[in-house]
């Protein structure tokens, strides 16, 4: 393994950031209403220099109020799921682990739905009401990963096959509960079905974007502090303990932070599957398995993947829109089957 330097890490991240920038430009351009690159560049410069008043109302509504917030949401969701998937794969020593396959996304979805059901019956201020859904999603994700972990643990060691099967069964069970709730609920909550398939079109307040961004950097930063320990954990928990790793602390930090990231993403986008599984493998193939490099590159790679998937979801059958989770599933499922067969052979 080549020694990691700050210059090399920054160069790798810069390359991905440049790719993300061009992907964002493409996402802003394409949609049900076509936009020229010249007009797009001109109006973005106006926004940067504080001249937003010179942008036409209709044009500003499409670019600044619809597409740009959706792209920002896709960046946060993709980065959160990829970092969570990378950390789960390292901690559980299972290359097939990710929030979707382990059932964590389903647990977060169930927690978010239960929070939405309970919200009208609680006398909460608007600030606490806005935080109730992310909190419910986090608690659901944390409870699910704890259950899957104990299912996959045998005689002090993690059995990868049992862990994977436990996650799939747990996710199916929780999905059945969600479908039961959806079929018995009345009113506006019945429309949440489309959102559960992965949807980035839900309008959010600016304060929510700040909460999502700060929450991501805090949780991802907490996981990054364990990057060197995650490298050692790949050899096994007992071996890592002999090398001086505080395994219980690392496990607690990663479980809480990764569950928080999953809950954060699911609470605003629903279930966007396979991002946390496929993206870490691609980044690992390109940049290596050192988690000091893998975690930041996976975050940017996940952002690129979700923005591209959402752009396809908006444009493939325009003006009709398909759930972004359906796009990631169509692309990710064949890759997952390939990884599964490669793992079992």
């Amino acid at each position: 393994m080549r020694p990691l330097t700050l210059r090399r890490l920054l160069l790798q991240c810069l390359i991905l950031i440049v790719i993300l920038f061009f992907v964002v430009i493409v996402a802003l351009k394409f949609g049900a209403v076509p936009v020229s690159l010249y007009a797009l560049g001109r109006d973005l410069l106006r926004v940067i220099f504080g001249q937003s008043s010179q942008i036409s109302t209709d044009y500003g509504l499409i670019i600044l109020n619809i597409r740009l917030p959706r792209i920002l949401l896709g960046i946060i969701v993709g980065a959160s799921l990829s970092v969570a998937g990378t950390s789960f794969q390292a901690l559980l020593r299972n290359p097939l682990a990710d929030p979707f396959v382990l059932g964590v996304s389903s647990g977060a979805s169930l927690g978010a739905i239960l929070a939405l059901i309970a919200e009208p019956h609680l006398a909460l201020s608007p600030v606490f009401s806005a935080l109730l859904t992310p909190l419910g999603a986090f608690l659901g994700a944390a409870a699910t990963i704890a259950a899957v972990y104990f299912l996959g643990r045998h005689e002090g060691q993690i059995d990868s096959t049992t862990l994977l099967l436990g996650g799939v069964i747990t996710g199916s069970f929780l999905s059945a509960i969600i479908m039961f709730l959806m079929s018995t609920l009345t009113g506006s909550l019945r429309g949440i079905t489309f959102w559960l398939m992965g949807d980035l079109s839900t309008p959010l307040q600016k304060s929510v974007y700040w909460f999502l961004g700060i929450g991501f950097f805090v949780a991802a930063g907490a996981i990054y502090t364990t990057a060197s320990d995650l490298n050692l954990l790949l050899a096994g928990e007992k071996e890592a303990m002999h090398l001086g790793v505080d395994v219980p602390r690392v496990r607690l930090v990663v479980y809480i932070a990764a569950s928080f990231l999953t809950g954060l993403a699911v609470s605003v986008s629903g279930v966007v599957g396979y991002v946390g599984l496929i993206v870490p493998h691609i980044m690992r193939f390109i940049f290596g398995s050192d988690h000091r490099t893998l975690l930041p590159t996976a975050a940017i790679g996940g952002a690129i993947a979700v923005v591209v998937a959402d752009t396809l979801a908006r444009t493939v059958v325009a003006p009709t829109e398909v759930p972004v989770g359906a796009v990631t599933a169509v692309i990710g499922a064949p890759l997952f089957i390939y990884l599964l067969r490669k793992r079992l052979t």
Side-chain angles (χ1 to χ4, degrees):
M1 182 183 297
R2 292 175 56 190
L4 179 67
T5 62
L6 180 61
R7 180 179 178 181
R8 181 160 150 255
L9 176 61
L10 293 177
L11 178 62
Q12 293 170 346
C13 292
L14 180 61
I15 293 173
L16 292 176
I17 290 173
V18 171
I19 296 174
L20 176 61
F21 173 77
F22 283 106
V23 168
V24 169
I25 296 299
V26 171
L28 286 172
K29 172 178 170 57
F30 289 100
V33 178
V35 175
S36 67
L37 284 176
Y38 171 77
L40 179 61
R42 178 196 62 200
D43 291 330
L44 287 178
L45 288 175
R46 287 175 175 174
V47 172
I48 293 174
F49 290 105
Q51 300 174 354
S52 303
S53 58
Q54 299 182 18
I55 303 176
S56 65
T57 304
D58 294 340
Y59 193 75
L61 177 66
I62 294 172
I63 299 299
L64 301 180
N65 296 343
I66 297 178
R67 292 184 186 174
L68 185 57
R70 184 166 179 158
I71 291 170
L72 293 176
L73 187 60
I75 290 174
I76 296 173
V77 169
S80 298
L81 293 176
S82 294
V83 171
T86 303
S87 56
F88 279 143
Q89 289 172 11
L91 190 65
L92 302 176
R93 302 190 303 282
N94 190 328
L96 301 179
D98 96 306
F100 181 75
V101 177
L102 291 176
V104 182
S105 294
S106 297
S109 299
L110 180 59
I113 292 173
L114 292 177
L116 289 173
I117 295 173
E119 182 180 352
H121 305 285
L122 301 175
L124 299 176
S125 64
V127 175
F128 288 104
S129 295
L131 298 177
L132 187 61
T133 301
L135 177 61
F138 163 68
L139 293 177
T144 303
I145 191 59
V148 172
Y149 175 79
F150 285 112
L151 284 174
R153 194 170 179 84
H154 179 67
E155 295 181 354
Q157 296 293 324
I158 295 176
D159 183 79
S160 296
T161 303
T162 305
L163 184 79
L164 184 63
L165 292 175
V168 172
I169 293 172
T170 302
S172 299
F173 174 72
L174 295 175
S175 296
I177 296 177
I178 291 173
M179 290 301 103
F180 172 78
L181 292 175
M182 292 298 98
S183 63
T184 56
L185 289 174
T186 58
S188 60
L189 286 179
R190 290 180 65 90
I192 207 172
T193 304
F194 185 86
W195 170 80
L196 284 173
M197 299 173 65
D199 179 35
L200 300 177
S201 63
T202 305
L204 301 174
Q205 297 179 356
K206 290 184 179 180
S207 59
V208 177
Y209 286 98
W210 281 105
F211 173 76
L212 294 174
I214 294 173
F216 166 76
F217 281 109
V218 170
I223 293 176
Y224 193 77
T225 61
T226 68
S228 298
D229 295 331
L230 291 177
N231 290 337
L232 298 176
L233 273 171
L234 294 176
E237 291 186 358
K238 292 184 178 179
E239 291 78 2
M241 291 180 68
H242 292 158
L243 294 173
V245 176
D246 188 352
V247 174
R249 180 190 66 83
V250 174
R251 187 189 302 135
L252 181 65
V253 169
V254 172
Y255 277 154
I256 292 177
S259 298
F260 178 77
L261 288 174
T262 304
L264 208 66
V266 171
S267 66
V268 294
S269 69
V271 179
V272 181
Y274 297 101
V275 175
L277 171 66
I278 303 301
V279 171
H281 281 281
I282 296 175
M283 295 298 109
R284 192 178 289 111
F285 175 77
I286 298 174
F287 299 110
S289 57
D290 187 345
H291 285 83
R292 295 173 297 175
T293 299
L294 185 58
L295 286 168
T297 55
I300 305 172
I304 295 171
V306 172
V307 173
V308 170
D310 185 56
T311 303
L312 292 174
R314 291 188 290 108
T315 57
V316 170
V317 291
T320 305
E321 182 179 316
V322 298
V324 64
V327 176
T328 58
V330 168
I331 299 173
L335 293 175
F336 173 72
I337 294 173
Y338 168 76
L339 292 173
L340 183 61
R341 289 183 60 85
K342 184 177 180 181
R343 171 70 175 172
L344 297 177
T345 56

